[in-house]
Amino acid sequence: MKQFYIFLAILILFSACKKKIEKTEEAPEKPTLDFVVAFGSCNMAQEPNPFWDDILAEDPDVWIWGGDIVYADTDDVEKLRAIYAMQDTVAEYAKLRAEVPIIGTWDDHDFGMNDGGSDFSIKEESQQVFLDFMDVPEDSERRNQEGVYASHEYEVPAGKVKVIVLDTRYFRSELVKDEESKKRYKPTTDSTATVLGEAQWQWLENELNQSDADFNLIMSSIQVLSGEHGFESWGNFPLEVDKLENLIAQSGAKGVIILSGDRHISEFSKTEIDGLSYPLIDFTSSGLTHSYFSFSGEPNQYRIGDVVSEKSYGVITFDFEKKEVDMMMKGDNGAVLQELKQTY
């Protein structure tokens, strides 16, 4: 009788193990992504921050601030610092910050002056406050340079991604108001006008020329390709647009993608450039806590798909083996609002 019970126990155990194996074999495999980037812009700490839990659930390898991290618009340094500090008190953002590397740039409202540029009176002090918020070490060379631009490299077994963060505020020349139409600004005819300034242009050229990354992301707070709307964009400095496109083509850098924000809308823009073997895409993601809900349309000859005028964030996944990039605008609970895939 004792042997019978031992045999029965072995039979039950074998049956349970067989079921467990069958269940494991039937379960779909979770897709593995080589590298994941999440980014966004236009954020107010005092407004509901709906996305930080969703962004953390994306399991990103890095979060990139695209500018307008806060809305300060002040030349009072202590007030600026206090407004940044409010963002750090957002509980879900604090969780993201504890688990994911955070990098990025500023735009006008966190710079301290709406549509501000090189003539902003406290830009040096504002830079230090920004670097404090971004936890940049006191001995970093970024503390001594003019402007907040920087580059970051991320290497995984499958390949490498380089993120080049631009500063489109510190050196930017004066905008030209459009007195002839309903648009706010018009392209300048001044051949000496600049977006990046001489030192940053030289730095950018070196970063692209020397890059051995499989993909290179350029974070520009303002849009590069969409420039017909009359608001802030690289389009107000057409010679600078030409210079950037030529630099990208001549550098030989692989898989260059532009990221942008500022507009309170999200959209994909895409163009072909002579000498570049792949299309140049400008992925605009804006905004995180408020957006242009009343958007009724504007020209953009480079637009792919529709404008997303609801709050959203951007996610980019990289497949190094297939050389494929999947770009997604996402809303609450990770809902995909629009998607664009590109092979490089």
Side-chain angles (χ1 to χ4, degrees):
M1 183 64 71
K2 183 177 180 181
Q3 290 178 333
F4 172 79
Y5 284 118
I6 292 174
F7 174 78
L8 184 62
I10 292 173
L11 186 63
I12 293 171
L13 181 62
F14 174 79
S15 177
C17 289
K18 185 173 184 294
K19 286 182 180 179
K20 185 175 182 181
I21 292 170
E22 289 174 347
K23 183 178 180 182
T24 301
E25 289 175 347
E26 292 171 0
E29 291 185 6
K30 181 180 178 182
T32 57
L33 302 171
D34 289 327
F35 199 80
V36 180
V37 168
F39 78 106
S41 63
C42 302
N43 178 78
M44 290 185 179
Q46 60 270 39
E47 294 289 331
N49 279 216
F51 297 139
W52 299 120
D53 58 336
D54 302 317
I55 292 166
L56 189 56
E58 303 283 353
D59 194 22
D61 293 282
V62 62
W63 165 261
I64 308 174
W65 279 113
D68 290 337
I69 298 169
V70 296
Y71 279 66
D73 298 300
T74 181
D75 58 4
D76 184 326
V77 176
E78 292 310 312
K79 182 179 178 182
L80 180 62
R81 192 182 303 278
I83 294 173
Y84 270 114
M86 289 176 62
Q87 182 59 37
D88 283 332
T89 67
V90 177
E92 296 296 334
Y93 175 70
K95 289 182 182 179
L96 181 77
R97 185 180 176 188
E99 297 184 29
V100 177
I102 293 178
I103 62 174
T105 189
W106 58 14
D107 200 35
D108 53 343
H109 297 291
D110 40 0
F111 181 58
M113 179 182 181
N114 183 40
D115 293 355
S118 62
D119 59 346
F120 184 45
S121 61
I122 66 156
K123 63 182 183 179
E124 294 180 9
E125 295 87 345
S126 181
Q127 174 174 332
Q128 297 306 315
V129 176
F130 170 83
L131 296 177
D132 288 344
F133 175 78
M134 299 297 291
D135 290 328
V136 174
E138 290 293 336
D139 60 354
S140 169
E141 62 182 25
R142 295 179 71 192
R143 293 284 183 173
N144 298 317
Q145 75 177 27
E146 292 185 309
V148 303
Y149 58 89
S151 69
H152 310 265
E153 291 187 347
Y154 302 92
E155 190 162 7
V156 294
K160 182 188 289 188
V161 173
K162 185 172 189 173
V163 182
I164 300 172
V165 177
L166 301 181
D167 185 332
T168 64
R169 291 293 157 191
Y170 201 99
F171 308 96
R172 200 218 63 212
S173 299
E174 187 175 356
L175 296 164
V176 179
K177 291 184 179 180
D178 191 340
E179 308 289 354
E180 302 168 358
S181 72
K182 294 181 180 179
K183 294 180 180 180
R184 185 177 297 178
Y185 303 113
K186 64 180 181 180
T188 182
T189 58
D190 183 357
S191 62
T192 66
T194 185
V195 174
L196 301 184
E198 184 177 351
Q200 187 177 185
W201 267 118
Q202 184 60 57
W203 169 84
L204 176 59
E205 181 177 356
N206 292 337
E207 291 295 328
L208 288 173
N209 287 344
Q210 297 173 12
S211 177
D212 62 352
D214 298 277
F215 297 99
N216 293 271
L217 302 182
I218 298 178
M219 181 76 249
S220 167
S221 63
I222 56 175
Q223 291 182 305
V224 174
L225 295 184
S226 179
E228 302 167 66
H229 44 68
F231 296 104
E232 281 199 283
S233 74
W234 280 68
N236 293 314
F237 303 87
L239 294 180
E240 294 284 88
V241 177
D242 293 343
K243 185 174 182 178
L244 180 61
E245 292 181 349
N246 290 335
L247 177 57
I248 291 171
Q250 293 169 10
S251 71
K254 293 182 287 186
V256 176
I257 302 170
I258 295 170
L259 309 180
S260 58
D262 174 58
R263 294 297 321 289
H264 302 183
I265 60 172
S266 296
E267 64 179 344
F268 295 117
S269 302
K270 182 177 179 180
T271 189
E272 300 288 340
I273 296 175
D274 290 340
L276 197 64
S277 62
Y278 53 85
L280 182 64
I281 292 171
D282 183 347
F283 180 0
T284 303
S285 182
S286 173
L288 288 165
T289 62
H290 52 288
S291 62
Y292 190 4
F293 281 111
S294 60
F295 179 85
S296 59
E298 66 183 31
N300 177 5
Q301 61 182 307
Y302 303 113
R303 183 181 297 130
I304 299 293
D306 299 320
V307 168
V308 170
S309 59
E310 57 189 280
K311 293 188 287 289
S312 65
Y313 61 95
V315 174
I316 309 168
T317 62
F318 298 87
D319 186 320
F320 293 100
E321 182 178 355
K322 296 180 180 178
K323 300 188 185 304
E324 184 177 84
V325 180
D326 190 3
M327 292 166 265
M328 293 169 282
M329 302 169 194
K330 289 198 169 186
D332 208 10
N333 297 315
V336 178
L337 306 178
Q338 195 169 158
E339 184 175 16
L340 178 65
K341 292 185 178 182
Q342 180 64 49
T343 301
Y344 290 84

